[in-house]
Amino acid sequence: MTGATEWSGAVGSVWAQEHARTEQALAGVAAVLDAAIVAVAPARGRAVDLGCGGGSTALTLAAARPGLTITGVDLSAELVAVARARPARAGVSFMAGDIAEVLPGLAPVDLLVSRHGVMFFDDPVAGFASLGNSAVAGAPLVFSCFRARAENDWAASLDNALDLVRPVAPGYAPGPFALSERATVQEVLTGAGWRDVRLHAHDVDYVVGTGDDPVADALAFYRRIGPAASVLAAAEPDQRVELERRLGDMLSRRIRDGAVTFSAAIWVVSARAPKELS
């Protein structure tokens, strides 16, 4: 899986430290995804949250389906520690590891879910096929992912403010926008054997700055998380001051109801497992 070293190291560490801010940003995503998950979740059985992060998806599912046994899996041990530190729910556990290695030991699985955690497979067909091989026949898969970068104001506006050109490579490339195209999602999932593949488009709020100074709060977020972080970190001091000034100007124009609020364009994808366990 692309980025495995980063997520189990520096990137995962930053996300763990900034988990309150990332949860705030992804709250709109969580609301529509959680509703879609609960709509198909069985009352009993085993569920696995792929790339569970700080545990929000798993814990929300547990509240709605207390009869499920739920395991959240993430590459980052530090994010798993965040999840474990939250108020416990019966039947919910979290573990650090690569899902390709962990999932066979959890089989048979009755439900697979993920909030933006399945866009990083080097070989997506093989990756999703391995998920299906650990699921009971007809088990639901529900996950969220970003639509095209240009449709996501939280990313496109930063690119524009920093004069960044993001070349669009044809075909699949692991990363946040790997599953942005409907045709790619359909091709990958059907190629992996999943059936009844459905995509629903949603546009949700993406809040990155709140409090007494929402622009400063948003800048603190983007210095560490998202597409601007690496650019700011690599800039010379004078250049960084100018880049942050431009970002601040742009962020100030995104204040709504006292918060810096962008839009995020996402898919909520559902499918059914293809066959009996292999």
Side-chain angles (χ1 to χ4, degrees):
M1 179 176 286
T2 292
T5 302
E6 289 83 359
W7 277 105
S8 60
V11 174
S13 178
V14 170
W15 275 67
Q17 294 164 26
E18 297 289 338
H19 71 274
R21 283 195 172 106
T22 59
E23 287 299 314
Q24 173 182 266
L26 294 171
V29 175
V32 294
L33 176 65
D34 291 345
I37 291 171
V38 171
V40 299
R44 299 279 187 274
R46 177 180 292 280
V48 177
D49 181 4
L50 311 164
C52 66
S56 293
T57 302
L59 293 169
T60 300
L61 176 59
R65 294 289 185 273
L68 280 176
T69 298
I70 304 166
T71 304
V73 182
D74 201 280
L75 284 165
S76 170
E78 291 184 60
L79 276 168
V80 167
V82 170
R84 288 174 174 165
R86 299 178 67 175
R89 279 193 173 274
V92 182
S93 61
F94 299 98
M95 59 191 303
D98 189 322
I99 195 65
E101 300 171 1
V102 169
L103 191 58
L106 299 175
V109 178
D110 301 282
L111 172 66
L112 290 160
V113 302
S114 182
R115 189 183 72 186
H116 279 46
V118 291
M119 300 100 78
F120 304 96
F121 291 119
D122 292 310
D123 182 337
V125 173
F128 278 100
S130 70
L131 302 184
N133 286 339
S134 294
V136 301
L141 165 69
V142 186
F143 66 87
S144 62
C145 58
F146 289 120
R147 303 201 318 263
R149 188 184 196 98
E151 297 179 66
N152 277 275
D153 188 40
W154 65 269
S157 290
L158 265 68
D159 291 347
N160 291 336
L162 300 177
D163 292 329
L164 299 178
V165 177
R166 306 277 186 177
V168 179
Y172 175 91
F177 297 95
L179 299 175
S180 61
E181 299 299 323
R182 179 186 292 271
T184 300
V185 177
Q186 290 279 2
E187 180 180 350
V188 166
L189 289 179
T190 56
W194 290 87
R195 56 188 177 84
D196 298 334
V197 178
R198 300 181 183 183
L199 291 84
H200 298 279
H202 297 270
D203 296 300
V204 300
D205 285 347
Y206 190 87
V207 178
V208 297
T210 58
D212 293 336
D213 191 342
V215 171
D217 190 41
L219 275 172
F221 177 87
Y222 276 127
R223 287 185 188 112
R224 307 204 72 199
I225 301 288
S230 59
V231 177
L232 294 175
E236 295 295 329
D238 289 348
Q239 182 189 26
R240 178 166 178 156
V241 169
E242 170 60 15
L243 292 176
E244 291 199 0
R245 183 195 65 77
R246 287 155 57 181
L247 281 176
D249 289 345
M250 181 273 293
L251 293 167
S252 67
R253 296 193 295 272
R254 292 301 191 283
I255 295 178
R256 172 160 45 94
D257 297 329
V260 176
T261 305
F262 291 94
S263 64
I266 68 168
W267 296 116
V268 171
V269 182
S270 62
R272 293 280 176 177
K275 56 183 181 298
E276 298 293 343
L277 290 170
S278 60

